[in-house]
C-alpha cells in the first residue's frame, strides 16, 4: 500500500487505536539521527512491535489501518526533516509541538505529559551520545547565548535535558496540574525538534561518500593490435614475454 502525503499536524488524535501523536513523532525524530552503523528498518520494526503490543485490535483490517496511520505519519516526519528549511520552519515547529503537547495534556493529563518529557530526555541524551563533538563545535549566536547562558549546541542539549528533568520532578509533586506546564512542554519539545534537525544535518555530512570504481580494462587478445601503438600484434610486441617463466623464478 502506497503511503499518503500527509501533514504531521493532521494526525487524528481521536483515532480508535489509542496511538498518540507524540509517540510517532519522537520515534520518527530518533530515526532521523540514527548513526550510519544502526539499521533504521530494525529500529522501525522494534517500534511497531512496541507500540502495537499495547493495543487490542479487533481484526486484520483494523490492524492494517493502524499500521497505515503510523507509517503515513512517520513518512511525513521524515519529509519534514529532509526538506530544505525556510522562514516557515519556526512556525511549523510551533504548530507540531502545540498539536502534540495539547493532545497529551487534554487527553492523558499529568501522566501523559510526564511520559512525553521522559521521552524528550531520552532524545536529548541520544543526540549527545552520538553528536556531542560536532555540537560542541557549533557556537550559538550572541542573542541565544546571552538568553540561555550557554555557548554551544552541546551545552544547550545538556541544559534542555536538565530542564526537562526538573519539569518532570515539579510536575510529579502532588497537586501539580499538567495544564500549568503546557507551555514548558512545548518549549522542551520544540528545542528537541530543533536539535534533531541539526543532528540530522550532521549525520548526512558524516555519511561515507560513495567510492568511484574505475572501469576494468578489457583484456587484450594475443592477436589484437598492441595498445602501445606500434601497429604490431600484441603477441609480437608488449605481450611477447607473457607467460614466460624465467630460470631465476623457478625453485631448484
Amino acid at each position: 500500500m502506497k503511503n499518503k502525503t500527509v501533514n504531521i499536524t493532521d494526525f487524528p488524535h481521536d483515532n480508535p487505536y489509542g496511538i498518540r501523536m507524540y509517540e510517532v513523532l519522537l520515534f520518527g525524530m530518533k530515526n532521523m539521527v540514527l548513526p550510519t552503523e544502526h539499521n533504521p528498518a530494525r529500529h522501525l520494526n522494534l517500534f511497531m512491535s512496541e507500540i502495537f503490543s499495547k493495543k487490542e485490535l479487533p481484526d486484520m483490517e483494523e490492524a492494517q489501518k493502524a499500521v497505515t496511520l503510523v507509517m503515513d505519519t512517520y513518512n511525513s516526519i521524515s519529509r519534514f526533516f529532509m526538506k530544505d528549511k525556510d522562514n516557515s520552519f519556526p512556525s511549523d515547529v510551533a504548530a507540531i509541538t502545540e498539536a502534540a503537547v495539547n493532545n497529551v495534556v487534554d487527553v492523558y493529563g499529568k501522566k501523559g505529559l510526564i511520559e512525553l518529557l521522559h521521552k524528550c530526555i531520552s532524545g536529548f541524551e541520544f543526540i549527545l551520545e552520538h553528536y556531542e563533538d560536532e555540537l560542541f563545535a557549533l557556537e550559538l549566536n550572541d542573542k541565544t547565548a546571552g538568553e540561555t547562558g550557554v555557548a554551544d549546541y552541546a551545552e544547550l542539549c545538556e541544559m534542555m535535558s536538565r530542564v526537562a528533568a526538573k519539569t518532570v520532578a515539579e510536575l510529579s509533586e502532588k497537586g501539580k496540574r499538567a495544564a500549568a506546564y503546557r507551555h514548558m512542554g512545548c518549549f522542551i519539545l520544540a528545542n528537541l525538534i530543533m536539535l534533531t534537525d541539526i543532528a540530522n544535518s550532521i549525520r548526512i555530512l558524516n555519511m561515507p561518500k560513495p567510492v568511484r570504481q574505475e572501469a576494468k580494462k578489457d583484456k587484450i587478445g594475443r592477436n589484437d593490435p598492441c595498445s602501445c601503438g606500434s601497429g604490431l600484434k600484441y603477441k609480437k610486441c608488449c605481450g611477447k614475454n607473457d607467460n614466460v617463466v624465467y630460470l631465476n623464478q623457478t625453485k631448484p
Side-chain angles (χ1 to χ4, degrees), residues 156-184:
L156 179 64
C157 197
E158 291 175 345
M159 185 194 78
M160 291 310 307
S161 182
R162 292 194 300 269
V163 169
K166 182 180 178 182
T167 304
V168 168
E170 290 180 4
L171 188 55
S172 300
E173 295 175 6
K174 187 176 180 180
K176 299 287 186 176
R177 297 174 61 84
Y181 290 84
R182 192 188 302 264
H183 178 72
M184 181 58 74

Side-chain angles (χ1 to χ4, degrees), residues 236-251:
K236 297 290 187 179
C237 189
C238 295
K240 65 182 180 180
N241 291 326
D242 282 4
N243 302 321
V244 175
V245 178
Y246 295 96
L247 184 62
N248 59 3
Q249 292 176 319
T250 60
K251 293 182 181 180

Side-chain angles (χ1 to χ4, degrees), residues 7 18 39 67 79 120 128 138 164 173 183 185 193 196 207 225 231 238:
N7 293 325
N39 186 333
V67 170
R79 286 190 293 270
C120 284
L128 270 178
L138 293 175
E173 295 175 6
H183 178 72
I193 292 175
T196 297
M207 289 177 69
C238 295

Side-chain angles (χ1 to χ4, degrees), residues 1-12 17 19 21 24-25 27-28 44 47-48 51-52 63-81:
M1 183 180 292
K2 186 177 179 180
N3 299 110
K4 297 185 298 182
T5 299
V6 299
N7 293 325
I8 305 172
T9 50
D10 290 339
F11 185 87
Y17 317 113
I19 299 171
M21 175 186 172
V24 189
L25 174 63
F27 158 73
L44 175 60
F47 171 72
M48 298 294 268
I51 197 170
F52 288 113
Q64 182 59 50
K65 289 179 181 178
V67 170
T68 300
L69 170 62
V70 172
M71 290 306 303
D72 285 346
T73 307
Y74 167 74
N75 287 330
S76 70
I77 293 165
S78 299
R79 286 190 293 270
F80 173 74
F81 282 102

Side-chain angles (χ1 to χ4, degrees), residues 4 10 21 38 45 48 56 63 89 105 118 122 130 135 141 158 162 174 191 194-195 199 205 213 219 235-236:
K4 297 185 298 182
D10 290 339
M21 175 186 172
H38 290 245
N45 289 334
M48 298 294 268
E56 292 185 7
F89 183 66
V105 172
H118 274 303
S122 296
H130 296 286
L135 291 173
N141 61 50
E158 291 175 345
R162 292 194 300 269
K174 187 176 180 180
N191 273 274
M194 180 270 295
L195 285 161
L205 288 173
Q213 303 247 350
K219 186 176 180 181
K235 65 182 181 181
K236 297 290 187 179

Side-chain angles (χ1 to χ4, degrees), residues 38-199:
H38 290 245
N39 186 333
R42 181 174 180 274
H43 185 228
L44 175 60
N45 289 334
L46 288 173
F47 171 72
M48 298 294 268
S49 298
E50 177 186 349
I51 197 170
F52 288 113
S53 66
K54 309 170 189 175
K55 316 297 179 188
E56 292 185 7
L57 302 172
D59 52 47
M60 285 301 296
E61 182 179 355
E62 289 301 306
Q64 182 59 50
K65 289 179 181 178
V67 170
T68 300
L69 170 62
V70 172
M71 290 306 303
D72 285 346
T73 307
Y74 167 74
N75 287 330
S76 70
I77 293 165
S78 299
R79 286 190 293 270
F80 173 74
F81 282 102
M82 294 304 293
K83 71 178 183 179
D84 292 335
K85 304 302 182 294
D86 53 29
N87 293 335
S88 67
F89 183 66
S91 59
D92 290 341
V93 171
I96 292 168
T97 57
E98 287 173 9
V101 173
N102 287 340
N103 171 247
V104 167
V105 172
D106 295 340
V107 179
Y108 303 101
K110 178 192 286 192
K111 183 178 179 181
L113 185 55
I114 288 175
E115 184 178 330
L116 184 153
L117 292 172
H118 274 303
K119 289 184 178 294
C120 284
I121 293 169
S122 296
F124 289 125
E125 291 175 346
F126 187 85
I127 290 172
L128 270 178
E129 178 185 354
H130 296 286
Y131 302 98
E132 184 174 7
D133 290 342
E134 293 92 339
L135 291 173
F136 177 75
L138 293 175
E139 295 183 352
L140 294 168
N141 61 50
D142 293 340
K143 184 177 181 230
T144 306
E147 291 173 350
T148 60
V150 297
D152 56 69
Y153 281 96
E155 286 188 32
L156 179 64
C157 197
E158 291 175 345
M159 185 194 78
M160 291 310 307
S161 182
R162 292 194 300 269
V163 169
K166 182 180 178 182
T167 304
V168 168
E170 290 180 4
L171 188 55
S172 300
E173 295 175 6
K174 187 176 180 180
K176 299 287 186 176
R177 297 174 61 84
Y181 290 84
R182 192 188 302 264
H183 178 72
M184 181 58 74
C186 288
F187 172 68
I188 292 167
L189 181 56
N191 273 274
L192 181 57
I193 292 175
M194 180 270 295
L195 285 161
T196 297
D197 185 58
I198 294 172

